[in-house]
Amino acid sequence: MFDVLLSHIENKVDITDEQKSQVQSFFTLKKLRRKQYLLQEGDICKSLSFVSRGLLKSFFLDEKGNEHINMFAFEGWWISDFNSFINQEKSVLNIDAIEETEVLMITLENYEKMLLEIPVMDRYFRILYQNSLVTKDYRLIVSNGYTAEEKYLQLAQKNPEMIKRVPHNLIASYLGLAPETVSRIRKKNSLNNT
């Protein structure tokens, strides 16, 4: 169950076998059924979660009850309502499972303790946060500056696994498009590829 996490860490930083064992001691495993919540709006996000198997989505609901997807988390991705986690404030996000999922969870107390006891993990998370900022900036540019078709095609090019695994109505929500628009774009592009 820790193979995916340890592999992810090793791809970013050099870590010893002893440090790997230490890292594992800070986490607990949680299994989620499809559509089961990991976090609900209004709750305090008590853990930072690493997806070892499955697929989650993070979203908020607008005043009309419409779902707006913030991110998807596949195997090898981290997910939380980070503001809620770090500041221990009520969450504005919901996180639920699109598929049966297993996550490795670390509490804020264990997270801070791990960073102090295993300094290489501080570097690992710094690299993740830098990458996350770059990704969020790019997503904002795409969201505000691209046409519907360009948004979809960029996503398909950058993350083909998402296009394969995530239902198109959820892709539409993530891109801020109507499901009919995504269906039309998919149909047009499948015809162009034949």
Side-chain angles (χ1 to χ4, degrees):
M1 90 179 120
F2 283 95
D3 293 348
V4 178
L5 174 61
L6 296 175
S7 175
H8 195 267
I9 294 168
E10 286 178 310
N11 285 334
K12 307 282 184 216
V13 295
D14 293 325
I15 187 168
T16 66
D17 289 340
E18 181 182 336
Q19 289 169 328
K20 288 180 197 175
S21 294
Q22 277 182 282
V23 165
Q24 291 179 52
S25 70
F26 290 104
F27 287 86
T28 57
L29 174 70
K30 181 168 184 147
K31 296 181 180 187
L32 299 166
R33 297 177 315 280
R34 188 174 173 274
K35 296 188 177 186
Q36 182 178 353
Y37 281 91
L38 177 65
L39 177 68
Q40 287 188 278
E41 178 183 355
D43 293 344
I44 293 174
C45 183
K46 298 191 185 308
S47 298
L48 184 59
S49 298
F50 181 84
V51 182
S52 58
R53 184 178 68 83
L55 174 58
L56 297 168
K57 71 177 190 245
S58 168
F59 65 96
F60 66 93
L61 299 173
D62 65 20
E63 64 281 348
K64 295 178 182 174
N66 296 317
E67 188 175 283
H68 299 273
I69 296 177
N70 179 48
M71 74 173 284
F72 296 103
F74 298 85
E75 294 87 358
W77 290 46
W78 290 91
I79 193 166
S80 76
D81 180 324
F82 203 67
N83 180 60
S84 177
F85 176 68
I86 292 297
N87 296 313
Q88 293 296 284
E89 296 175 355
K90 289 182 178 181
S91 175
V92 297
L93 296 173
N94 297 283
I95 300 172
D96 74 3
I98 296 172
E99 303 171 354
E100 284 192 12
T101 301
E102 291 181 3
V103 292
L104 296 169
M105 302 171 68
I106 187 166
T107 63
L108 182 59
E109 181 182 348
N110 279 345
Y111 171 78
E112 290 174 346
K113 188 175 177 187
M114 179 180 68
L115 296 183
L116 287 173
E117 291 181 13
I118 313 168
V120 71
M121 292 304 293
D122 192 67
R123 177 167 164 66
Y124 166 76
F125 278 103
R126 184 174 52 80
I127 291 167
L128 292 184
Y129 300 143
Q130 288 171 340
N131 291 342
S132 177
L133 285 173
V134 169
T135 300
K136 285 185 187 264
D137 283 349
Y138 179 75
R139 182 155 184 242
L140 189 60
I141 290 165
V142 169
S143 178
N144 291 322
Y146 285 41
T147 66
E149 187 167 1
E150 289 170 336
K151 288 178 188 180
Y152 181 84
L153 294 176
Q154 279 291 315
L155 181 64
Q157 181 184 7
K158 290 203 170 283
N159 200 335
E161 181 182 9
M162 189 180 297
I163 299 298
K164 289 178 195 164
R165 284 177 65 183
V166 176
H168 85 270
N169 63 313
L170 298 182
I171 297 273
S173 172
Y174 177 73
L175 294 174
L177 303 172
E180 303 78 34
T181 303
V182 170
S183 292
R184 180 181 47 77
I185 294 168
R186 287 170 67 127
K187 184 176 181 181
K188 176 185 172 190
N189 284 285
S190 68
L191 292 174
N192 289 342
N193 292 329
T194 56

